[in-house]
Amino acid sequence: MNTAMHIMSIQHQLVLAIGKDSDLKKMLHQFLRLCCLSLNSTNCHVFLVQDKNKNPVHQKSKDSNLKLGHYLSFPMKKYGLLASNNQPLANIVNTFFTNNLAIDVIEYESSLYHLFKIGGFGVLAIERKQPLGEAIQNALTPVLKKLATSSIGSINHRSLVLEIKTRKQIEEKISYQASHDFLTGLFNRMEMQQRLAKAIDNCADQASTGAILLINLDKFKNINDVMGYHVGDKVLRQVANRLRHTVKKLATIARFDGHEFIVLLKDLPVSPLEMKSIINGVIADIVFAIEIPLELSEGRFSVSCFIGYETFNDKSKSVQDVLKNASIAMYEAFKKGKNKALAYNSDMSVQLNEHITYTQEIKQALKNNNFELHYQPQYDHLKNIVGAEALLRWNNPLRGYESPAIYIPIAEESDLIIQIGSYVLKQACADIKKLEQLDLPDSFKQISINISAKQLAKHNFVQTIISAVEESQISPFRLKIEITESIMMGDIELSIESLEKLHRFGVECAIDDFGTGYSSLAYLKRLPATLLKIDRYFVTDIHKDKSNTAIAGMIIELAKSLNMTVIAEGVEKKEELDCLVQLGCYHYQGYYFSHPIAFDKLLMAIKL
Amino acid sequence: MSPASIIKFTDSPSLDELNKAIKSVINAGANSILLLTCINNAYNTEKVNKTLKACPLPLCGGIFPKIIYQGKNYTQGAIVLGLMVDPKIVNYDMLNKSDPDLKHYIHSKSKIIEKYQDFIIISDALCSKSENFIDHFYDFMGSGVTTIGGGAGSLDNANNPVIFTNQGLVRGITQVIALPCPINNSIGHGWELLDGPYLVTSSEGHFVYSLNYKPTFDIYKEIIQSRHFTPLCADFFATFAKKYPLGIISLDGEILVRDPIQTNGSYLECVGNVPVNSMVYLLQSSQDKMIDASKEVAQNLLRQGPLNTLLLFDCISRDFFMGDSIDDELEAIQSPFPNICLVGAMAIGEIANTPCGSIRLLNKSTVLGSF
C-alpha cells in the first residue's frame, strides 16, 4: 500500500514538472531535477533528435543513420566531466534508441542506466547505483508519454517563437535598410530628410534653432580612381565612424550621397552668437577628426573636407531649402579653398545663380559658334615661325571678348571643358588642314593645342585625337598637344601610356608650364614628350632675377640632356630674349614677338 | 602525516582572544583560516570587521549557535582552524535573484572552482534561497563531489551578519570553500518512521500547507494527540515539534528529515523544502537511537580511510532534543578518534551529499567530515 502510494507520489511529482514552462530546456531541467530527487539518481539525461542547428525536432528524419544528440543533464557533470562529452553514454542511448524496447537497463562502469523512450524522438536516461524496481519503471511509462506530448508542444512553441523572431528580425532589417546607408550604417538621405522635417517643426514649436552641416570629402575621388572602390568604401566607413564618434549623441548623421555626409544639429540656442559658437565647435571637431590620416591595410590616406551649413528656426524654409542652401555654402567653401566651412548667406545664391547663368552662356556660345581659335606664333632665334599655340577666345555678343581666366575654370567644373576641348581639337585640325594646303616654309613645324585634365582622363582620349587627325586628313606631325606638368602627374602611368600611343601615331607632346608643378624628374625621363615649355614665371625679367636665370638655365640643360626642345613662354622684352639666347634657349613665344592673332593673320605672318 | 590544519580554541567570548588565536595560526604557517564562533560571543561588528579585513590570509567561516571542541559543546568561544592547504573561497551574495537568474549567477560564479571536487559550504541559515543555491550548485558541479557544511546564524531570527569573509562579517550569503585535498564524509540522524505516509497536497518551499488535503497542523496535532493524549496547550508545538519531525523517504529507503520550526495553527514551516506530491511521514527517535546513529556516522568515516582534521556539523535541534545528553553524542563521535581533535559547530540545517551523490540540505542530522 505504502509502496503504491510512494510510486503515485513520484508520478505526480514528475508530472507536475511537465508542462510547467513552455521553454523546453527549462521544463526538462525542472523535470530532470525532480527525477534526480525523487528517484534518488546520481544523474539524469535527455537525448533528442536535433536538426543541423542543434534545435530539437520531434519528427524523425528519414535518415536511417540518424543519431540522438545530448540535450540536457541534471546535474551537468559526473566526477567533473560534462555529460554532453560522455561518448559511451551517447552510444548506450543511441543503441537503445534504435531497438524496439520501450524501457531498458544497461550497466556500465558501476552505474545503472535506466533508459526510457520519449515518443519517437528522444531518450531519458536515469543513472542510479541501484536498480529501479519494475513497478516504478512501469509507473514511469505514462509520465514519459506526457513528457513526450509536452515536449512536442514546447518544440512547436519554440519553432513558432523562432519563426516570429525571425520574421521580426527580417522586418527590423527591412526597416533598418530603408532608413540606413548600407555602406556606413549611418542614416540615409531619405531618413535624414524626414528627421530634418521634424526638426524644422520642433524648432518652430519650441523656439530653438537647428542646423544642417553638409560635409564633402575633398579629393576623395582620387582615392577611388587610384586605389579602387573597395579602398574608397573603407575610407567612407572610417570617416563615418569618426563622425559618429565625434558628434556622438549631439547630432544625427547621415551619408547624403557619394562622399557627402550630413549632420543635423537640434535644440541649439536661439541667440546667434551662442548658436554659432556651438556650430563652430562641432565643425572644428569634425575637421580635426577627418584630417587625421586614415590607416588602412592598403596604406595611409589623408582626406580633408569642406563644410557648408544652414540654420533654421521656423518653418519659413522647407527641407529642400535648407539642404539646398547648405549645399551652396559647401560649394562656396570648396571654391574658396582655404576656408573649411562656410555658413550660407543669400549672396551665395546670387553668385550661384550668376554662375549658373554664365554656364548656360558658355553652352549657348558652343552652340552658336561664338568660340574662336587664335594663334600665338612661336619663333626661333632667327625669327622664323616654328609653330603656333592655339588659344581659345570667346567673342561674347554682349560683353565682347571674355578672358579665358574667367570661363575656363567654370567650364572645368563641368563637362563643358570636354566640349570646348573637342571644339579646339576639331578647329585646330581644320586650320592645320588649311595650312598644309599652303606652301609652308620648312621652319614651320606644327600647331599646338592645350589639353585639360578631364580630357586626358577620358578613356577614349587617345582615340579622339587620332580620329580628329584622320578625319581632317592632316599629318599627325603637324599637331602637338600641350599638357601641364601637374595634370600629367595626376595619373602618371595613364599619362605615359596615352602619350606613348600618340607619339607612335605621330602626335608629339609638349610639357606646358614646366617648372611650376614640381614634378618628379624621374618621371620626366619616361614621358615621350619632345618639348619643354618654360613657364612665363621664370622668363619675366629673367635678365634681372638671378634665381629665375638659374632655374631657366637648369630647365634648358635638363631638356638638352633628355633630347627635348625647349621653348620660353611670355617673352616680352629684348633683354629677356638676349638672356635666353645666352642660356641656350632658341625657341620663344610671347608679346615681344607677337600677340595671339586670328588664323588669317597667322597665315599672313607665316607667309611673311 | 602532516596536519591539514592547526587548531586553536578559546572558550572566551572575547575578541582579543580570537585575535590572538588568529595571529597564532598565522605565525604557525597556515595558508588560510576557517573560523567557527558562537553567537553568544556577541562580537562588536565594527571591531570584528577590523580584524577580518586586516587578516593577510584568505578567511572564511561562520557564527553558529554553539561550537564543538574535543567532544564537548560550547555556547561561547571560538575555534580557529589554520588550514595548511590553499582553498578557493567563493562568496555567493546575490541569492535574492529569481530562479533562472540565480542559476546563471551560480554557474558563472562557480567557474573558478569547477575543477574542485571537495567543498565545505557555510550558509546564512536565514537565507531562504539556500536550498535553491544547493540545487544549482549541484547541477553545475555534478555528482561525485564531496560536500560537508551547515547553516550559520542565531535561533532568535535576528538578521545579523554571520558569515566571515576578508571583507568583514556579511549576511544573507552562502560561502563555498573549495579544498584542494579530498574530503571524506559520513551522515546520519537516528530518526525512524512513526506514522504515515501522508501526501503533501499543498506546499511552497519551506511551508507545508496541507497533507491529504487537510491543514498540515491539524493532521500533525491529531497524530501526536492520539499518542500522548495531551490537550492543545500554548507550548504544544514547542514541546512536540522537536520530538516529531517530518520525513521524506527516498526510493532507497533513506529518510530526509524536515524539522518543523513554526506553525500558524494551519501550516507548518520546516527547515528545508517539502515538495508538493511528495510523501511525508512523522518521525520519532530516542536519545539512545540518536547516539547509536552518531556512533555509526563516526565508524563509517573511520572505515573510509586516512583521517586528519575532523569537522562536525551537528544539528542544533538534536541538542534541543537530547538536552544534557548532547555531550554523550559528541563523545560517541570523538571516541573512535582518540588522537584527533574533533571540532565543529551546532548548525541550523546541515549540508552534505547523500549516498546517491546529490547535495542536500539536511535537518536534525549529523554531518561528519575529514580532510
Side-chain angles (χ1 to χ4, degrees):
Chain A
M1 169 65 180
N2 287 356
T3 308
M5 276 191 72
H6 199 164
I7 289 172
M8 269 180 58
S9 151
I10 290 169
Q11 270 184 327
H12 282 83
Q13 281 182 65
L14 294 177
V15 164
L16 205 69
I18 299 170
K20 241 187 170 177
D21 205 308
S22 55
D23 183 289
L24 184 66
K25 207 152 228 172
K26 283 184 190 164
M27 187 263 281
L28 287 177
H29 184 267
Q30 178 70 353
F31 178 79
L32 292 181
R33 181 181 156 271
L34 274 175
C35 267
C36 262
L37 292 179
S38 60
L39 299 173
N40 239 19
S41 71
T42 52
N43 295 73
C44 290
H45 319 272
V46 167
F47 285 72
L48 295 174
V49 177
Q50 293 170 36
D51 64 16
K52 59 182 178 184
N53 297 321
K54 301 239 169 200
N55 292 320
V57 289
H58 59 78
Q59 282 136 350
K60 230 175 162 178
S61 156
K62 285 172 187 167
D63 180 4
S64 56
N65 294 321
L66 176 82
K67 283 196 168 183
L68 294 185
H70 174 266
Y71 188 67
L72 195 68
S73 291
F74 185 95
M76 293 156 61
K77 298 174 203 164
K78 185 179 178 184
Y79 296 116
L81 298 172
L82 279 169
S84 53
N85 294 338
N86 187 340
Q87 196 50 46
L89 172 62
N91 295 340
I92 289 169
V93 166
N94 273 294
T95 308
F96 167 69
F97 185 62
T98 50
N99 70 28
N100 293 325
L101 298 170
I103 303 172
D104 202 359
V105 182
I106 304 288
E107 189 173 357
Y108 181 79
E109 287 188 348
S110 78
S111 281
L112 288 169
Y113 292 94
H114 298 78
L115 305 166
F116 302 84
K117 293 223 167 90
I118 306 171
F121 58 93
V123 167
L124 167 70
I126 298 168
E127 202 174 330
R128 272 174 54 90
K129 288 180 176 164
Q130 294 166 18
L132 277 176
E134 201 174 319
I136 186 76
Q137 285 187 35
N138 292 334
L140 288 176
T141 306
V143 176
L144 267 294
K145 271 190 183 165
K146 186 165 166 53
L147 182 67
T149 310
S150 198
S151 297
I152 290 170
S154 294
I155 291 166
N156 288 342
H157 176 263
R158 188 175 184 279
S159 37
L160 201 66
V161 168
L162 266 180
E163 198 184 316
I164 292 168
K165 208 172 158 187
T166 310
R167 194 176 299 167
K168 206 176 163 194
Q169 279 171 349
I170 291 168
E171 282 170 7
E172 280 171 1
K173 196 176 172 186
I174 291 169
S175 158
Y176 179 87
Q177 285 171 343
S179 58
H180 287 75
D181 170 49
F182 73 97
L183 180 67
T184 60
L186 297 176
F187 288 123
N188 59 19
R189 177 202 286 247
M190 199 183 293
E191 180 67 16
M192 178 53 94
Q193 285 176 333
Q194 285 172 10
R195 285 173 183 251
L196 176 57
K198 269 187 203 165
I200 291 171
D201 283 349
N202 287 347
C203 271
D205 298 341
Q206 295 167 7
S208 62
T209 307
I212 276 288
L213 277 54
L214 201 55
I215 304 158
N216 195 310
L217 299 186
D218 196 10
K219 292 173 187 164
F220 171 78
K221 197 177 170 298
N222 291 347
I223 296 174
N224 256 354
D225 290 347
V226 176
M227 300 302 296
Y229 284 95
H230 69 290
V231 179
D233 287 352
K234 281 186 187 177
V235 168
L236 290 175
R237 274 196 289 268
Q238 282 213 11
V239 168
N241 282 341
R242 287 183 183 184
L243 284 174
R244 205 181 271 132
H245 182 73
T246 303
V247 302
K248 287 185 184 134
K249 288 175 184 170
L250 287 174
T252 309
I253 321 165
R255 180 170 167 230
F256 201 59
D257 195 14
H259 51 282
E260 276 181 18
F261 295 89
I262 191 160
V263 173
L264 167 63
L265 297 170
K266 293 186 291 188
D267 303 324
L268 297 172
V270 179
S271 149
L273 269 180
E274 286 178 43
M275 177 195 68
K276 275 197 173 175
S277 154
I278 292 173
I279 293 174
N280 288 339
V282 173
I283 287 172
D285 289 346
I286 289 172
V287 169
F288 178 76
I290 289 178
E291 288 189 347
I292 297 168
L294 300 155
E295 303 287 350
L296 304 181
S297 55
E298 289 80 0
R300 198 170 201 241
F301 297 91
S302 293
V303 285
S304 59
C305 66
F306 41 91
I307 301 172
Y309 70 90
E310 168 67 314
T311 59
F312 51 89
N313 54 16
D314 55 33
K315 293 182 185 173
S316 62
K317 293 172 203 161
S318 70
V319 168
Q320 295 313 323
D321 291 339
V322 173
L323 291 175
K324 185 185 74 190
N325 293 348
S327 181
I328 291 169
M330 184 184 78
Y331 177 73
E332 286 298 318
F334 164 68
K335 276 204 303 185
K336 298 215 165 147
K338 285 176 188 171
N339 290 313
K340 288 289 174 195
L342 282 180
Y344 171 78
N345 65 55
S346 53
D347 290 346
M348 290 178 180
S349 286
V350 174
Q351 285 166 16
L352 184 69
N353 287 336
E354 285 172 3
H355 189 90
I356 292 166
T357 309
Y358 199 82
T359 307
Q360 292 298 333
E361 284 180 27
I362 296 173
K363 275 186 191 170
Q364 203 57 45
L366 275 166
K367 269 189 190 170
N368 298 345
N369 283 326
N370 292 139
F371 284 105
E372 299 167 7
L373 279 191
H374 285 202
Y375 293 90
Q376 187 166 35
Q378 296 163 335
Y379 292 82
D380 64 11
H381 62 295
L382 303 172
K383 298 211 175 164
N384 295 315
I385 297 181
V386 293
E389 181 183 358
L391 295 165
L392 190 68
R393 290 292 177 265
W394 178 14
N395 191 3
N396 191 309
L398 299 173
R399 296 188 289 270
Y401 282 106
E402 288 275 17
S403 164
I406 295 172
Y407 61 81
I408 291 295
I410 291 173
E412 275 178 338
E413 286 171 16
S414 64
D415 281 347
L416 280 173
I417 194 71
I418 300 282
Q419 293 178 47
I420 290 174
S422 180
Y423 162 77
V424 170
L425 176 63
K426 279 183 186 166
Q427 189 57 49
C429 286
D431 290 345
I432 291 169
K433 180 73 184 166
K434 285 178 193 166
L435 282 173
E436 281 184 339
Q437 287 164 353
L438 300 174
D439 186 18
L440 286 171
D442 290 345
S443 57
F444 189 88
K445 302 294 180 198
Q446 71 262 96
I447 294 287
S448 58
I449 57 170
N450 290 289
I451 299 294
S452 72
K454 280 193 175 176
Q455 276 176 288
L456 184 64
K458 284 213 91 166
H459 67 283
N460 60 350
F461 166 68
V462 173
Q463 193 51 49
T464 306
I465 303 276
I466 292 172
S467 299
V469 169
E470 287 175 344
E471 281 165 21
S472 309
Q473 294 179 318
I474 60 168
S475 164
F477 302 105
R478 294 287 182 197
L479 179 69
K480 184 170 260 177
I481 55 170
E482 292 189 7
I483 303 176
T484 64
E485 192 186 353
S486 52
I487 289 174
M488 218 175 287
M489 293 301 160
D491 185 344
I492 185 70
E493 295 301 334
L494 183 72
S495 301
I496 291 170
E497 192 188 330
S498 301
L499 298 182
E500 270 177 352
K501 281 181 188 166
L502 289 175
H503 182 69
R504 283 195 295 273
F505 177 67
V507 175
E508 291 188 341
C509 170
I511 301 175
D512 203 3
D513 301 343
F514 190 78
T516 54
Y518 310 104
S519 56
S520 165
L521 295 178
Y523 282 112
L524 197 61
K525 199 176 176 184
R526 289 179 57 200
L527 285 168
T530 53
L531 182 71
L532 262 187
K533 294 187 84 175
I534 305 173
D535 191 75
R536 68 177 64 242
Y537 179 82
F538 304 110
V539 174
T540 305
D541 291 334
I542 190 170
H543 56 290
K544 292 182 190 165
D545 189 326
K546 283 184 181 168
S547 68
N548 277 358
T549 314
I551 291 167
M554 272 165 50
I555 293 170
I556 292 159
E557 286 306 311
L558 183 71
K560 276 184 188 167
S561 67
L562 293 172
N563 283 328
M564 292 166 82
T565 309
V566 65
I567 183 168
E569 291 181 285
V571 182
E572 295 185 0
K573 296 172 189 165
K574 183 168 186 310
E575 293 86 344
E576 291 168 351
L577 174 64
D578 293 342
C579 185
L580 287 163
V581 172
Q582 270 185 3
L583 288 171
C585 174
Y586 303 116
H587 289 88
Y588 323 99
Q589 181 179 340
Y591 292 171
Y592 176 74
F593 294 95
S594 169
H595 280 70
I597 49 179
F599 181 65
D600 53 346
K601 286 187 179 167
L602 175 70
L603 291 177
M604 287 166 63
I606 292 171
K607 278 180 191 171
L608 283 170
Chain B
M1 193 193 296
S2 58
S5 52
I6 304 154
I7 299 166
K8 295 290 169 191
F9 167 74
T10 172
D11 60 4
S12 162
S14 146
L15 187 58
D16 288 344
E17 290 301 316
L18 178 72
N19 279 331
K20 273 187 208 165
I22 290 173
K23 272 181 194 158
S24 166
V25 299
I26 292 172
N27 291 337
N31 282 317
S32 54
I33 292 172
L34 170 63
L35 294 178
L36 304 170
T37 71
C38 294
I39 199 86
N40 283 353
N41 294 354
Y43 291 135
N44 175 294
T45 307
E46 208 169 301
K47 286 182 181 169
V48 82
N49 280 348
K50 208 176 260 183
T51 298
L52 300 176
K53 287 175 184 172
C55 179
L57 299 181
L59 186 144
C60 54
I63 303 177
F64 294 88
K66 288 184 172 185
I67 56 172
I68 298 159
Y69 181 70
Q70 284 189 334
K72 292 199 181 317
N73 75 89
Y74 297 84
T75 54
Q76 288 187 332
I79 294 163
V80 179
L81 268 90
L83 303 177
M84 302 311 284
V85 294
D86 198 359
K88 196 76 119 184
I89 301 164
V90 184
N91 295 311
Y92 298 84
D93 54 359
M94 308 283 282
L95 301 182
N96 53 350
K97 288 171 178 285
S98 63
D99 215 48
D101 295 337
L102 184 65
K103 177 184 169 184
H104 177 72
Y105 168 73
I106 291 168
H107 285 203
S108 58
K109 196 144 187 183
S110 302
K111 279 222 179 298
I112 57 163
I113 52 170
E114 68 177 337
K115 302 283 182 217
Y116 290 76
Q117 293 282 292
D118 302 273
F119 307 99
I120 300 169
I121 299 178
I122 298 172
S123 70
D124 183 338
L126 275 185
C127 176
S128 62
K129 294 279 179 81
S130 291
E131 212 165 351
N132 300 47
F133 168 82
I134 288 167
D135 273 353
H136 293 307
F137 185 71
Y138 175 59
D139 183 19
F140 185 75
M141 288 301 170
S143 59
V145 299
T146 309
T147 311
I148 57 171
S154 63
L155 292 163
D156 57 5
N157 272 348
N159 189 17
N160 293 318
V162 290
I163 307 291
F164 292 111
T165 73
N166 285 92
Q167 289 72 47
L169 265 174
V170 289
R171 64 167 65 84
I173 74 161
T174 293
Q175 186 174 66
V176 173
I177 304 138
L179 293 185
C181 58
I183 298 177
N184 289 325
N185 73 358
S186 176
I187 59 174
H189 49 67
W191 295 94
E192 57 189 24
L193 306 184
L194 168 67
D195 195 56
Y198 296 93
L199 180 68
V200 179
T201 45
S202 173
S203 71
E204 199 177 336
H206 296 186
F207 295 89
V208 188
Y209 294 111
S210 70
L211 300 176
N212 290 358
Y213 305 102
K214 288 183 181 170
T216 307
F217 186 67
D218 286 356
I219 298 228
Y220 188 74
K221 177 185 67 184
E222 278 168 23
I223 302 164
I224 291 166
Q225 283 179 327
S226 69
R227 289 171 187 274
H228 288 276
F229 309 104
T230 179
L232 185 64
C233 49
D235 61 352
F236 178 89
F237 184 79
T239 307
F240 292 105
K242 63 188 174 191
K243 294 178 184 169
Y244 298 106
L246 301 180
I248 305 169
I249 193 162
S250 80
L251 263 187
D252 301 315
E254 297 148 8
I255 298 170
L256 180 68
V257 185
R258 283 292 174 252
D259 196 7
I261 49 168
Q262 68 165 346
T263 181
N264 67 348
S266 175
Y267 65 68
L268 283 184
E269 185 188 354
C270 299
V271 180
N273 294 343
V274 180
V276 178
N277 286 331
S278 60
M279 303 296 301
V280 296
Y281 292 79
L282 237 67
L283 307 178
Q284 66 174 353
S285 189
S286 66
Q287 289 188 358
D288 288 345
K289 282 175 185 166
M290 289 175 78
I291 291 170
D292 285 349
S294 295
K295 281 180 185 168
E296 180 54 34
V297 165
Q299 288 300 327
N300 184 27
L301 190 74
L302 190 61
R303 282 194 290 275
Q304 288 183 40
L307 298 159
N308 204 319
T309 301
L310 277 178
L311 183 59
L312 174 68
F313 291 93
D314 204 25
C315 189
I316 187 67
S317 67
R318 293 173 79 85
D319 179 45
F320 301 153
F321 182 80
M322 298 178 89
D324 293 341
S325 300
I326 190 67
D327 279 345
D328 295 341
E329 172 170 273
L330 299 179
E331 186 48 44
I333 296 170
Q334 173 73 81
S335 66
F337 313 103
N339 301 318
I340 303 172
C341 173
L342 173 71
V343 292
M346 293 288 199
I348 306 169
E350 300 72 60
I351 297 166
N353 51 297
T354 60
C356 77
S358 61
I359 307 171
R360 303 297 284 263
L361 176 67
L362 312 173
N363 293 170
K364 286 191 183 303
S365 301
T366 301
V367 171
L368 182 61
S370 74
F371 55 92

